[in-house]
Amino acid sequence: MSAIDDLTGELARLPGIGRKTALRLAFHLLKAPSDDAQRLARAIVAVRERVRPCEVCGNLTETSPCAICTSTRRDQTLVCVVEEASDIMAIERTGEYRGMYHVLGGRLSPLDGIGPSELNVEPLMRRLGIGEVQEVVLATNPSVEGEATAMYLRKLIGPLGVRVTRIARGLPVGGDLEYADGVTIAEALSGRREM
Ligand SMILES: [Zn+2]
């Protein structure tokens, strides 16, 4: 296999990149100054070496616990539960949320064999068991699986006496939090309702 085939094949495995785009990117990298390609290669290696999940919330970070978990200016009694660490970035961009987070690492999807034990549910329950958290905002995506995950967590958390809320609808159904605009996310958070 040639080096170009090799690179094209790797790029085509990335989400949202088809065979044609992969080929275009590969040729772009060949024509670009050598430094540009080196920088990209180094950035890919560095991100894999330095970034890891926060031991408390699962956020992606270079220092664990992450900057959000160690911040003294954030509301420790409020925890927002999201599917992926990228959702934290989307919510943080709004600048409207001052609580903590918990990353599930996905959503319940029985057809794909993803049950509660495949997600970071147990660490969430341990966190809530300490007793400092007063409200959990369920911010899983507004998809069928995201709603089912929220319902499951509500049943699990309810008996602990912690307030459970769900982000408001208004986010496109079936859409990803990650791709929603800041205003929509901020409105969904401020309009959260009891579950
Ligand atoms: Zn953290």
Side-chain angles (χ1 to χ4, degrees):
M1 196 190 246
S2 79
I4 290 182
D5 286 341
D6 202 11
L7 176 59
T8 308
E10 291 304 321
L11 290 170
R13 290 172 58 190
L14 298 173
I17 310 268
R19 199 81 207 165
K20 251 179 168 169
T21 307
L23 203 57
R24 206 170 75 227
L25 289 172
F27 278 104
H28 172 83
L29 287 167
L30 276 172
K31 281 191 282 180
S34 177
D35 275 3
D36 286 12
Q38 297 285 353
R39 260 204 315 279
L40 175 62
R42 279 199 302 271
I44 292 170
V45 172
V47 86
R48 290 310 307 249
E49 281 177 353
R50 290 192 221 142
V51 179
R52 60 189 185 282
C54 167
E55 66 203 78
V56 178
C57 73
N59 188 15
L60 292 174
T61 179
E62 293 187 29
T63 53
S64 183
C66 71
I68 293 173
C69 285
T70 51
S71 169
T72 52
R73 294 199 303 271
R74 301 189 72 114
D75 184 354
Q76 311 272 342
T77 69
L78 181 61
V79 170
C80 180
V81 175
V82 293
E83 291 180 19
E84 304 291 347
S86 50
D87 297 329
I88 295 184
M89 290 171 205
I91 294 173
E92 284 299 288
R93 274 199 301 273
T94 70
E96 297 283 326
Y97 178 75
R98 301 305 300 161
M100 318 303 280
Y101 291 98
H102 192 88
V103 179
L104 289 173
R107 59 215 177 320
L108 293 178
S109 182
L111 290 177
D112 302 315
I114 300 172
S117 52
E118 273 70 45
L119 304 176
N120 294 322
V121 172
E122 182 60 38
L124 172 64
M125 297 310 282
R126 273 202 304 275
R127 265 179 100 178
L128 299 180
I130 296 168
E132 198 176 6
V133 178
Q134 288 164 16
E135 180 184 345
V136 172
V137 190
L138 300 174
T140 48
N141 286 323
S143 61
V144 173
E145 290 98 342
E147 293 295 345
T149 307
M151 289 302 292
Y152 171 82
L153 290 174
R154 196 205 73 80
K155 283 202 194 105
L156 206 61
I157 298 167
L160 298 177
V162 177
R163 188 181 173 210
V164 182
T165 53
R166 176 86 172 108
I167 49 169
R169 290 165 199 276
L171 289 164
V173 173
D176 260 14
L177 201 61
E178 192 183 344
Y179 303 118
D181 68 278
V183 175
T184 307
I185 294 176
E187 279 174 0
L189 270 168
S190 69
R192 66 186 187 268
R193 284 188 291 255
E194 301 289 339
M195 256 188 99

